[in-house]
Amino acid sequence: MRRGRRAGGGRGHRWGAAAPAAVLVPALLLAGCAPSVDPIERLGKKAAQRVRPSSSAGDQAYRRWGLAAPLAAPPSPPVRLLTARRTDPARPRTVDHIRTTDKVVFLTYDDGAERDPRFIDMVRELRLPVSFFLTDSVVGPGYGHFARLRAVGADIENHTLDHPAMPGLPYAGQRAEICGQQDKLKSRFGVRPRLFRPPYGTYDTTTLRAAADCGITTIVLWRAAMTPDGITYVRGTRHLTPGDIVLVGPDEATGPTLKERTRRLLRRVQARGLTVGRLEDYL
C-alpha cells in the first residue's frame, strides 16, 4: 500500500471488506531509479543463511524486541504445496490465505516508504521470514535498505512502478507497471519476482493477463491487516488462523513505528499458538 501521490491527495489507505467477485477484487486497504551502486543488493538467500546470531544473542533477542517468549521456529517447507487452485493455468492464481495445516502466518509489507535501520536488526535477530512488495517510485534511492533486509532473510516482490489503481487501465499501461518493476528488481537484486500485489488489492482480467506476461505466477492479497488500531480481517473468522497472509500496514505520521506494529502483531501470532512462515516456500 502506498503513502504518497493519489487522487484527492490522500496519504494512507482505506480498509474495507472484500467482495466475492472472481475477477475484480474491491478496494480493501487503508486509505493511504537510481542505478544500483551497493554490492549487497545482490546478496540473497545464501547470504541470509550465513547470518546467524550467537546462541546467547538468540536466547535474548525476543526480550529485546518486546516479546514474552521466543518465536517458535517454523516447520520445514511443505513437500506438497496446499495453495489455491488455478482455474486457468495460463494466468496467475490469486491468494489471500494459504491452505495448510502448518501453524504459520505470513508477514507482508508494501511500498517501501519506511526504512528504519533497526527494523533490519529485528528481522535478523528474530529470524523473521518477511516479504516486501516494493513500489519503485516510493523506494526511490532507498533500495540499499531493502538489499540489506534481503541479505538477512527478507524476500522482495513486485508492487508496480508507480502504484496506480490497476482496474480499467489498458493492457499496455498495466504491463508497463508490472514488467517495468520486474526489470527494476532484476537490475537491483538479480532476480525477477514470481509474486505480485496490485495496488489497493484491486485488479481485473487485464491485470491477470499482464502479470502472466511479466512472469508473475501468483497475485498475493491478504486476509488480515495490522493497522494502527489493531488487526482488521477482510473475511472469515475474526482471529488469526494457520495460513493467513497478513498485511502490516504502511507507516503513519502519528501512528506506531514499523517495529512497534510488527511487535504487536507477533504477540497476537504467539497468543494464537502460531509462528511466522516464509510465504515464498508455500507458493
Side-chain angles (χ1 to χ4, degrees):
M1 304 326 95
R2 179 185 177 185
R3 287 164 41 91
R5 300 192 303 273
R6 55 175 52 94
R11 294 182 60 81
H13 293 276
R14 298 182 302 275
W15 299 91
V23 175
L24 175 61
V25 178
L28 306 175
L29 304 185
L30 283 171
C33 297
S36 174
V37 295
D38 191 343
I40 198 172
E41 295 192 14
R42 297 216 173 245
L43 294 177
K45 194 173 182 180
K46 290 183 179 179
Q49 291 170 344
R50 294 196 295 269
V51 179
R52 291 290 183 269
S54 67
S55 58
S56 60
D59 291 343
Q60 301 301 319
Y62 73 93
R63 292 191 179 95
R64 283 197 297 277
W65 298 107
L67 302 182
L71 197 64
S76 299
V79 174
R80 185 173 67 87
L81 302 183
L82 303 178
T83 57
R85 291 179 299 173
R86 299 174 67 179
T87 56
D88 182 353
R91 294 188 177 182
R93 61 194 165 196
T94 301
V95 298
D96 64 3
H97 175 93
I98 304 297
R99 292 185 294 165
T100 179
T101 58
D102 291 347
K103 293 185 177 181
V104 296
V105 297
F106 308 99
L107 272 56
T108 66
Y109 301 76
D110 285 1
D111 299 345
E114 190 168 348
R115 298 188 284 273
D116 181 356
R118 286 286 288 155
F119 185 73
I120 300 175
D121 297 335
M122 186 181 200
V123 170
R124 183 185 69 250
E125 293 181 16
L126 294 178
R127 304 184 190 184
L128 288 177
V130 296
S131 301
F132 278 84
F133 290 80
L134 297 183
T135 295
D136 181 70
S137 63
V138 177
V139 177
Y143 276 102
H145 172 83
F146 296 98
R148 290 172 173 81
L149 272 168
R150 186 168 180 262
V152 299
D155 285 291
I156 303 298
E157 304 296 348
N158 190 328
H159 197 46
T160 70
L161 283 174
D162 199 39
H163 208 279
M166 303 299 273
L169 290 181
Y171 170 80
Q174 296 205 38
R175 190 179 190 282
E177 284 287 340
I178 302 170
C179 287
Q181 183 65 341
Q182 290 287 83
D183 294 342
K184 290 279 186 181
L185 297 175
K186 170 69 174 179
S187 70
R188 299 285 179 173
F189 305 114
V191 295
R192 295 178 69 85
R194 296 181 297 107
L195 310 185
F196 170 65
R197 174 169 284 163
Y200 315 103
T202 60
Y203 66 97
D204 58 16
T205 55
T206 302
T207 312
L208 297 177
R209 183 161 62 98
D213 291 346
C214 295
I216 297 296
T217 62
T218 306
I219 304 292
V220 178
L221 305 178
W222 60 94
R223 194 188 79 84
M226 188 69 193
T227 76
D229 299 321
I231 300 182
T232 296
Y233 297 93
V234 172
R235 61 175 182 82
T237 58
R238 315 311 288 177
H239 56 75
L240 293 173
T241 62
D244 279 348
I245 298 173
V246 185
L247 167 66
V248 183
D251 59 317
E252 299 290 339
T254 59
T257 65
L258 189 66
K259 298 191 303 295
E260 177 62 17
R261 293 193 303 279
T262 301
R263 182 187 68 81
R264 293 179 185 180
L265 176 58
L266 291 176
R267 286 184 168 183
R268 296 283 195 97
V269 168
Q270 290 182 312
R272 294 291 303 168
L274 304 168
T275 191
V276 181
R278 180 175 180 264
L279 178 62
E280 286 75 0
D281 286 342
Y282 288 76
L283 294 173

